[in-house]
Amino acid sequence: MRKTTVTPADVARQIGRIPAQPGPKEASTMTDTVTGTMNRSGSETLGEAVNQTVDETVGDSPADAVIAGAGPVSRPGERPTVRLREAGPEDQPRYAPEWLQLREPADAAARAVDLLDPLRIRLANLPGARSGGLAVHDLGCGTGSMGRWLAPRLDGGQHWILHDRDPYLLHFAAVASPRAAADGSRVTVETRRGDVARLTADALVGASLVTASALLDVLTREEVETLAAACAGAGCPALLTLSVAGRVEFAAPDPMDEEITAAFNDHQRRGGLLGPDAVTAACEAFAAHGATVKVHPSPWRLGPQNVALTAQWLRGWVGAAVEERPELAERAEAYLATRLAACQAGELRVTVHHSDLLALARPTGGA
């Protein structure tokens, strides 16, 4: 299997045209069962995982920190973990690990650390938190960036159940997963393959926490309501980060900024998806189930240190706007060329607004 690396030079060679959304990748050649090789000194970095050629699987053993799984799997006495959404012609594309790797540092810098203290308090008071450790379900995990960011910030043993429909991405999430919590406790990982748009309370039995990153905005209102109901039924909190807010601010404004933003936002709402309305819908859904909801801004702040990411984001942002409103194409080409030139010169600064949401469901089990 060929290696799938990307460099800033690769990005630079591509920035002269308007593409569709950045990073789609089909993974039909990947096997359904994914595993990773780990050493006891710590996890591989995502860069090492992306550069690794994956051409064989490794059986699991007690020494492995990753449980291989094509999921959702049924074991004796185990309830189903996910109910799959029916795939269709409008199904969301898979994303290349290169794109997810490129955005990971900006994601990590943007996530709202102010939401962690109330989350830690709730987790410390969950039934069985001290004895059994935390069971964390990461929905639409991609390459596992949420786990790499959050697991080292929480105390106590943790078992992360990584859900994604793409076995290619699950591999990278597994091999680059963290091995230790903030206090040095062990972190283990299990991968389960499947779409996670629809959950039930049964799917989250035993869950301590549900997490997701950049997921809410690609769900429908019904799916968000189902997610809120599932978390409420299980009595577990949810930390849902980096949902698009529909606002972009350039340090040097251009008359076309608002047109591109509006067209992009309409593109995000295609097919009934929530796009920039996702956080409002999620607040309503969780509050309707009695959860306490906290929202905090989590913007990307891109500048000269993010040239490769900014270039890819710009191309995808403008490309989606033009796909939604083809009449913008000619002016958008000139707009994009100007913005990319400023980016390559290290002169472009842009804030891409996102929001993080913490929903604290009423605990069950007598807490």
Side-chain angles (χ1 to χ4, degrees), residues 39-361:
N39 57 56
R40 296 184 181 180
S41 63
S43 62
E44 297 179 59
T45 66
L46 180 57
E48 290 167 342
V50 170
N51 291 333
Q52 177 185 11
T53 300
V54 184
D55 54 10
E56 63 181 1
T57 59
V58 182
D60 57 311
S61 69
D64 287 331
V66 172
I67 301 172
V73 294
S74 295
R75 296 171 181 162
E78 181 178 309
R79 297 182 186 228
T81 56
V82 293
R83 182 190 304 158
L84 304 186
R85 173 202 278 171
E86 294 298 325
E90 300 301 319
D91 203 20
Q92 294 296 306
R94 294 182 171 97
Y95 289 97
E98 296 94 338
W99 164 248
L100 299 179
Q101 181 189 14
L102 195 59
R103 65 173 288 171
E104 185 167 345
D107 286 349
R111 288 192 183 95
V113 294
D114 289 354
L115 296 179
L116 294 184
D117 280 344
L119 175 61
R120 292 185 186 107
I121 292 170
R122 173 56 59 88
L123 293 176
N125 288 285
L126 285 177
R130 293 179 181 84
S131 59
L134 301 176
V136 185
H137 288 255
D138 189 13
L139 309 182
C141 67
T143 56
S145 66
M146 186 66 173
R148 285 188 292 277
W149 181 81
L150 183 58
R153 288 172 167 81
L154 300 178
D155 287 334
Q158 301 167 41
H159 181 66
W160 282 69
I161 301 96
L162 307 179
H163 299 270
D164 204 284
R165 72 186 183 91
D166 191 339
Y168 191 75
L169 296 181
L170 281 172
H171 167 77
F172 294 115
V175 299
S177 61
R179 297 291 176 265
D183 60 358
S185 298
R186 190 176 183 221
V187 175
T188 57
V189 176
E190 174 181 347
T191 63
R192 294 185 183 173
R193 184 183 176 209
D195 282 318
V196 292
R198 296 176 182 172
L199 293 174
T200 65
D202 279 354
L204 297 178
V205 166
S208 308
L209 172 64
V210 167
T211 68
S213 190
L215 177 69
L216 282 181
D217 40 69
V218 295
L219 299 181
T220 65
R221 184 175 295 272
E222 179 184 5
E223 290 163 351
V224 167
E225 290 172 351
T226 302
L227 172 61
C231 292
C236 68
L239 180 62
L240 309 170
T241 69
L242 295 167
S243 297
V244 295
R247 294 182 294 115
V248 173
E249 295 179 63
F250 289 91
D254 183 280
M256 276 202 77
D257 293 344
E258 291 186 9
E259 284 185 89
I260 298 294
T261 298
F264 176 82
N265 289 344
D266 287 344
H267 186 278
Q268 294 296 94
R269 296 183 178 105
R270 281 184 171 190
L273 302 183
L274 286 167
D277 308 317
V279 170
T280 298
C283 288
E284 294 170 353
F286 279 97
H289 287 279
T292 299
V293 183
K294 302 176 183 291
V295 177
H296 200 283
S298 53
W300 277 356
R301 301 188 188 279
L302 306 180
Q305 74 278 13
N306 311 107
V307 169
L309 172 61
T310 306
Q312 283 289 69
W313 169 78
L314 271 169
R315 294 173 62 246
W317 184 62
V318 176
V322 171
E323 187 176 325
E324 181 67 23
R325 299 185 191 174
E327 67 274 15
L328 293 176
E330 185 175 350
R331 289 188 298 134
E333 286 281 4
Y335 171 88
L336 179 61
T338 299
R339 287 298 194 197
L340 286 173
C343 177
Q344 292 302 109
E347 299 169 353
L348 187 71
R349 288 175 172 79
V350 57
T351 301
V352 183
H353 289 276
H354 304 92
S355 296
D356 288 4
L357 180 151
L358 174 65
L360 300 172

